[in-house]
Amino acid sequence: MTDVTMDKIVSLCRRRGFVFPSSEIYGGLGSTFDYGHYGVLMKNNIRSLWFRSMVQERDDMVALDSAVILNPSVWEASGHVAGFTDPLVDCRTCKLRFRADKLEDSQCGRRPSNRPGEFRECDLTEARQFNLMFETQVGALEDASSTAYLRPETAQGIFINFKNVAQLARRKPPFGIAQTGKSFRNEITPGNFLFRVREFEQMEMEYFVPPADAQRWYEYWIEQRLNWYLDLGVRRSMLRVREHSAEERSHYSSGTSDIEYDFPIGWQELEGVANRGDFDLTQHSQHSGTKLEWVEQDGTRYTPHVIEPAVSIERIFVAMLCDAYHEEVVAERDRTVLRLHPAVAPVKAAILPLIPRNDEMVARSRKLLDELRERWLVEYDDGGQIGRRYRRQDEIGTPWAFTIDEQTLEDETVTVRDRDSLAQERLPLSGVAAWLADALRRPWQSPAA
Ligand code: ATP
């Protein structure tokens, strides 16, 4: 089995243009990243697969896109101004800062002192609370009244729109509001590549239910979200659901479970599913003076309870890359392959003219390219030996490659090569689009499962 390390993932992402360290020509900005071509494509796929299962395939869901900077009162009401904090400790020995509740994950411990070969224990200060929200100023005047925050989660934008969706559009619980968008957290110790960054794209859904049904829907959403990963081919053995203990839960939560993935850094939260009760709608009703509740036709009213699955594209991106990364030796040559689900793979198929100097092969290949790119993201590759081109596509996870060769010119067939099995078969050129459509509909399982 391949030993998957974060370093290998980072290096492949950089080498193949998925992800770059941001502001690199200026020395970078710690734990901030820019996405290159294949990274953008893969992120778009993850987002649209989430949206598809959350919104497109359901009757009970609507979409929302709320602002990043909200009225600061939102964050007073939600409890973020007072309590969205992590405990911060400074080390007097190594002069670094750590999260007091994540010391075991950090490099804190015995570190070299200034004298070579000498080790001194870390000497930590008392923990103090550090608010993770980024502050900014709105407008030209800088005073207390202009202070605002970059949102640390997208959820509050959903709660404050409850009335618009539920009351004006007469959506009746149970129903959900889904949104994706950037969130910002001034993390004390970002790191592990994209796992913990200060700017990330969240995908959150708030599901509003009658209070008596909350537990049932909480369990339902844990199962739904776990199945989403399994359907996308993430290995079952690498996923687990961990229920938070009462002490670990946020004050508003009556149940929280993490869907965890066994990252190279160990089992960590991939996605959280929380039963938030009526905390948020009640808080916003009290602070805003606008009642956020559901009124039945007969006049009875209640504040719905909320179930929230919340995840970032970044964590899914890393988990899926780790799950897909594989090294092997084929015909005495090293092969690195991303065995991604075809729906997640940045490029669905490569079109390769065997002899790029042959005009007829090129003409046939470009015609096929034009046909396929109407429906899918496909790539034309004519650079170098065919074996090298296959390897290049393997490394970015392209599930199929269609090769146009001498035989194509004689009998109008092409070779299709499968990324996982390496099997090759011949197809009629005119049937390639239908073949690919069919292949993309087939369930896919990781060869490592
Ligand atoms: P952690 O305990 O790891 O800090 P959290 O419990 O604070 O996470 P939530 O507030 O529940 O995280 O956020 C919901 C989801 O958003 C997480 O499950 C994760 O997928 C994602 N997420 C949170 N913080 C970050 C971050 N700094 N970088 C990338 N993704 C993040």
Side-chain angles (χ1 to χ4, degrees), residues 143-158:
D143 61 20
S145 68
S146 66
T147 299
Y149 305 96
L150 303 187
R151 67 177 174 201
E153 60 174 36
T154 64
Q156 299 304 323
I158 298 181

Side-chain angles (χ1 to χ4, degrees), residues 48-58 225 228:
S48 62
L49 286 160
W50 183 89
F51 194 84
R52 186 190 170 102
S53 84
M54 279 294 181
V55 181
Q56 187 178 325
E57 294 176 347
R58 301 184 64 101
R225 294 302 305 147
W228 185 78

Side-chain angles (χ1 to χ4, degrees), residues 99 102 185 187 194-197 200 202 269-272 310-312 315:
R99 243 174 90 171
K102 299 265 180 196
R185 296 183 186 180
E187 297 278 3
L194 299 166
F195 179 83
R196 190 178 300 286
V197 278
F200 51 97
Q202 276 193 315
E269 172 175 345
L270 172 60
E271 168 158 356
V311 65
S312 69
R315 288 213 184 156

Side-chain angles (χ1 to χ4, degrees), residues 27-306:
L29 176 67
S31 294
T32 309
F33 297 92
D34 297 336
Y35 288 83
H37 182 63
Y38 297 125
V40 172
L41 298 179
M42 184 164 151
K43 248 169 66 139
N44 287 350
N45 292 341
I46 293 171
R47 187 189 306 103
S48 62
L49 286 160
W50 183 89
F51 194 84
R52 186 190 170 102
S53 84
M54 279 294 181
V55 181
Q56 187 178 325
E57 294 176 347
R58 301 184 64 101
D59 299 330
D60 55 355
M61 203 72 69
V62 290
L64 181 78
D65 187 1
S66 66
V68 168
I69 299 175
L70 304 173
N71 185 313
S73 304
V74 170
W75 306 108
E76 298 276 352
S78 66
H80 282 79
V81 172
F84 192 59
T85 53
D86 276 337
L88 168 81
V89 289
D90 289 292
C91 173
R92 297 185 189 95
T93 311
C94 55
K95 312 285 181 228
L96 293 177
R97 295 200 146 157
F98 303 101
R99 243 174 90 171
D101 59 333
K102 299 265 180 196
L103 279 177
E104 70 280 10
D105 303 342
S106 71
Q107 304 145 337
C108 186
R110 288 167 63 81
R111 326 192 110 255
S113 73
N114 294 335
R115 309 240 309 262
E118 188 184 283
F119 283 82
R120 276 194 292 156
E121 291 291 332
C122 271
D123 177 12
L124 300 178
T125 60
E126 284 290 301
R128 60 203 157 88
Q129 292 301 324
F130 173 76
N131 197 301
L132 301 185
M133 283 199 292
F134 278 100
E135 267 187 34
T136 187
Q137 306 289 324
V138 173
L141 274 181
E142 273 196 32
D143 61 20
S145 68
S146 66
T147 299
Y149 305 96
L150 303 187
R151 67 177 174 201
E153 60 174 36
T154 64
Q156 299 304 323
I158 298 181
F159 297 127
I160 59 173
N161 276 287
F162 175 81
K163 190 174 174 199
N164 293 333
V165 179
Q167 296 177 359
L168 300 181
R170 293 297 299 167
R171 281 266 168 190
K172 181 178 163 55
F175 74 90
I177 305 178
Q179 96 163 317
T180 67
K182 286 258 174 146
S183 288
F184 303 84
R185 296 183 186 180
N186 199 2
E187 297 278 3
I188 298 169
T189 43
N192 290 311
F193 191 35
L194 299 166
F195 179 83
R196 190 178 300 286
V197 278
R198 295 197 170 103
E199 175 182 340
F200 51 97
E201 185 167 343
Q202 276 193 315
M203 306 198 289
E204 295 193 295
M205 190 279 288
E206 307 301 323
Y207 199 71
F208 301 93
V209 301
D213 300 343
Q215 179 62 23
R216 180 166 68 79
W217 284 111
Y218 168 60
E219 288 160 21
Y220 167 90
W221 279 108
I222 296 170
E223 195 190 329
Q224 285 289 309
R225 294 302 305 147
L226 181 64
N227 285 339
W228 185 78
Y229 293 103
L230 297 175
D231 290 346
L232 289 175
V234 179
R235 285 169 291 167
R236 183 67 188 88
S237 58
M238 303 298 278
L239 290 165
R240 72 180 185 195
V241 176
R242 188 181 68 81
E243 173 112 43
H244 284 205
S245 63
E247 303 79 65
E248 206 184 339
R249 282 201 299 260
S250 315
H251 55 289
Y252 54 76
S253 158
S254 51
T256 300
S257 290
D258 289 344
I259 298 176
E260 296 188 332
Y261 182 80
D262 192 2
F263 289 94
I265 50 172
W267 287 99
Q268 296 283 345
E269 172 175 345
L270 172 60
E271 168 158 356
V273 183
N275 178 351
R276 299 177 71 119
D278 62 2
F279 176 80
D280 305 276
L281 291 184
T282 305
Q283 286 292 106
H284 287 303
S285 294
Q286 282 168 3
H287 281 73
S288 68
T290 299
K291 280 214 165 85
L292 301 176
E293 56 184 13
W294 174 253
V295 185
E296 295 282 2
Q297 301 256 292
D298 65 4
T300 51
R301 43 184 73 221
Y302 65 86
T303 305
H305 284 205
V306 179

